[in-house]
Amino acid sequence: MDPDFAPCLEFLSPGHAAEHDILLLGHMDTVFPKGTAQARPFHIDNNRAYGPGVMDMKSGALFGLYLAHLFKETGEAFPSICFALNSHEELGSARARPWIEGLARRSHIALILEPARANGDLVFERKGSCRYNLTFHGKAAHSGVNPQDGASAINELAHWIIELHKLTDFDAGLNLNVGLVSGGTSVNAIAELAEAKVDMRFVENDQALRVDERIKAMVEHPFTDTVRTEISGGISRPPMNASEESLAFCRRIDAIAQKTGIANRLAKNRWRI
């Protein structure tokens, strides 16, 4: 077992077959750093749950557990259910992806237990995602003695941050975020090395291709003379745009919700962030 990853969980209904009628998918991890759960522990107040990640599929995972329990308690024809929980979705599901794809190939229906938004908007589409790792190689020099002999990797990184963020188009469903940066060794040294990690979300593959072309152009034509840039990463998931079948399914959910007084609805801004 990889010590950097918690185990994924797979639950199967009693007497399960080789193929599953329903695959329920969720994830357990959150984006919060270690210690957040201790600082903001889970609690229930006035019949409402609070805690890190409560709205990020934890409610969906709990719903899946109750749904499986309900099937068992009703005594009706019990479908073959596989309930799978990913432990590292927020990191890109690198270890879990082959496992999830294998389960999906053996399932007739797959339901992702993404909860509705706080205003009731149903989530039935997902943006594609892309991660880039950027490494900038400059030339070290002393900032007081011979700065003209250096080439700052941090200066090049700063230009890239501005240029990449310019590509964001919220109306078109494209957004880029330089979320992690590092570089330099001391305040009085021209930085020889700098690094950045970029997250991109998009709704059309053409958007990702245009960003990729811009990145390649910046590699070929650096903003800072003699700084060299290395790129790794790329598209990890294509966009999942809504089909007519998924929209029809959501309309059925909407109709049932209205009968029970739940304010679910098809969202005008449908994209999963």
Side-chain angles (χ1 to χ4, degrees):
M1 182 181 297
D2 191 328
D4 294 330
F5 292 90
C8 297
L9 301 179
E10 180 179 329
F11 304 91
L12 301 172
S13 57
H16 64 275
E19 293 188 352
H20 312 297
D21 295 316
I22 302 172
L23 171 63
L24 302 175
L25 283 174
H27 71 86
M28 302 174 287
D29 58 322
T30 73
V31 298
F32 298 96
K34 283 186 177 181
T36 304
Q38 286 74 25
R40 267 196 310 121
F42 173 83
H43 67 281
I44 297 175
D45 184 12
N46 195 24
N47 206 32
R48 185 181 291 269
Y50 297 86
V54 166
M55 283 301 296
D56 187 8
M57 205 172 273
K58 306 307 168 293
S59 56
L62 184 62
F63 173 81
L65 183 64
Y66 273 97
L67 179 63
H69 180 73
L70 179 63
F71 273 121
K72 182 178 180 181
E73 292 299 313
T74 57
E76 299 177 2
F78 193 76
S80 173
I81 296 177
C82 176
F83 183 21
L85 293 173
N86 181 4
S87 66
H88 54 282
E89 187 267 353
E90 299 291 357
L91 297 177
S93 305
R95 304 290 196 281
R97 185 168 183 167
W99 167 65
I100 293 172
E101 290 176 345
L103 293 176
R105 281 190 289 267
R106 302 198 304 272
S107 304
H108 298 293
I109 297 172
L111 298 176
I112 312 302
L113 301 175
E114 189 71 40
R117 293 291 177 247
N119 63 359
D121 288 351
L122 293 174
V123 177
F124 53 89
E125 290 192 333
R126 197 191 194 285
K127 288 182 176 181
S129 60
C130 178
R131 297 283 175 87
Y132 285 108
N133 303 308
L134 313 177
T135 303
F136 303 91
H137 299 275
K139 183 180 179 182
H142 194 283
S143 63
V145 177
N146 61 333
Q148 68 279 1
D149 296 331
S152 173
I154 289 178
N155 186 67
E156 183 69 9
L157 167 58
H159 281 285
W160 275 65
I161 292 173
I162 294 171
E163 292 300 313
L164 289 175
H165 281 203
K166 282 181 182 178
L167 299 175
T168 290
D169 185 342
F170 292 122
D171 291 336
L174 172 66
N175 56 283
L176 291 89
N177 180 57
V178 182
L180 290 173
V181 296
S182 63
T185 55
S186 68
V187 69
N188 62 342
I190 305 298
E192 184 177 16
L193 183 70
E195 295 177 315
K197 294 184 183 296
V198 184
D199 179 88
M200 177 174 69
R201 305 300 171 101
F202 55 98
V203 296
E204 300 292 343
N205 287 325
D206 286 348
Q207 294 172 323
L209 292 175
R210 289 195 296 271
V211 171
D212 196 65
E213 289 174 357
R214 178 66 181 126
I215 286 176
K216 290 177 180 177
M218 290 193 291
V219 171
E220 293 296 325
H221 304 282
F223 300 93
T224 309
D225 290 341
T226 73
V227 172
R228 178 174 57 87
T229 305
E230 292 180 352
I231 308 293
S232 63
I235 296 175
S236 57
R237 295 189 189 93
M240 187 187 76
N241 295 315
S243 64
E244 184 51 44
E245 291 81 0
S246 61
L247 290 174
F249 180 62
C250 285
R251 284 191 285 269
R252 292 183 63 183
I253 295 174
D254 214 14
I256 295 171
Q258 290 176 15
K259 293 179 181 178
T260 60
I262 298 174
N264 277 345
R265 64 172 184 264
L266 294 179
K268 293 181 179 179
N269 182 7
R270 307 179 306 186
W271 297 318
R272 167 81 164 96
I273 296 175

